[in-house]
Amino acid sequence: MSRSADFDELLGILDLGRVGEDTFIGRHPSRNPVRTFGGQMMAQAFVAASRTLNSDVPPSALSVHFISGGDPGRDLEFSVVRLRDERRFANRRVDVTQDGQLLTTALVSYLAGGRGLE
């Protein structure tokens, strides 16, 4: 595979399938690793959370807890919980599971900057 094809494949794993309003399915790279990598789940959880925003607010914080390893032969399910939606900020929790087993949970905060101290 060329370097460009490798890069396209890596970006392709961020293209999650939507199976519900707040539920997404993610896949692994075609050359399956021996395990599911945390960075992959973190990036996919961020994408899932961002796709549920009601307004265009930039991300401000991301906290991820890795609980269990996953099977790279099976897809991942991303369930987004909308914790808070306001005009200038939002909060999301994303649970990453396989067959009902929690692998990772992520908290993502979004905050639109405003005027600072004068």
Side-chain angles (χ1 to χ4, degrees):
M1 233 185 218
S2 73
R3 191 170 180 175
S4 176
D6 286 342
F7 185 71
D8 289 344
E9 179 184 1
L10 289 174
L11 283 181
I13 66 169
L14 297 178
D15 188 21
L16 305 178
R18 187 174 224 138
V19 294
E21 184 176 358
D22 294 330
T23 306
F24 302 86
I25 297 295
R27 59 185 176 85
H28 292 78
S30 64
R31 288 183 278 159
N32 285 342
V34 295
R35 61 188 166 106
T36 301
F37 288 98
Q40 171 192 332
M41 288 189 286
M42 179 175 67
Q44 289 173 320
F46 174 75
V47 168
S50 297
R51 288 191 179 169
T52 67
L53 292 174
N54 295 328
S55 57
D56 189 22
V57 234
S60 62
L62 172 66
S63 175
V64 182
H65 296 265
F66 302 104
I67 298 160
S68 182
D71 178 357
R74 298 192 332 258
D75 289 340
L76 301 165
E77 183 174 304
F78 298 83
S79 299
V80 180
V81 177
R82 299 171 189 236
L83 300 172
R84 184 104 187 233
D85 275 313
E86 300 293 333
R87 185 173 53 86
R88 291 183 43 206
F89 66 91
N91 297 95
R92 299 290 186 264
R93 185 185 79 227
V94 183
D95 291 331
V96 184
T97 61
Q98 274 184 339
D99 297 328
Q101 180 183 359
L102 184 63
L103 305 180
T104 297
T105 191
L107 292 172
V108 187
S109 297
Y110 302 85
L111 176 64
R115 294 180 55 161
L117 297 174
E118 296 295 323

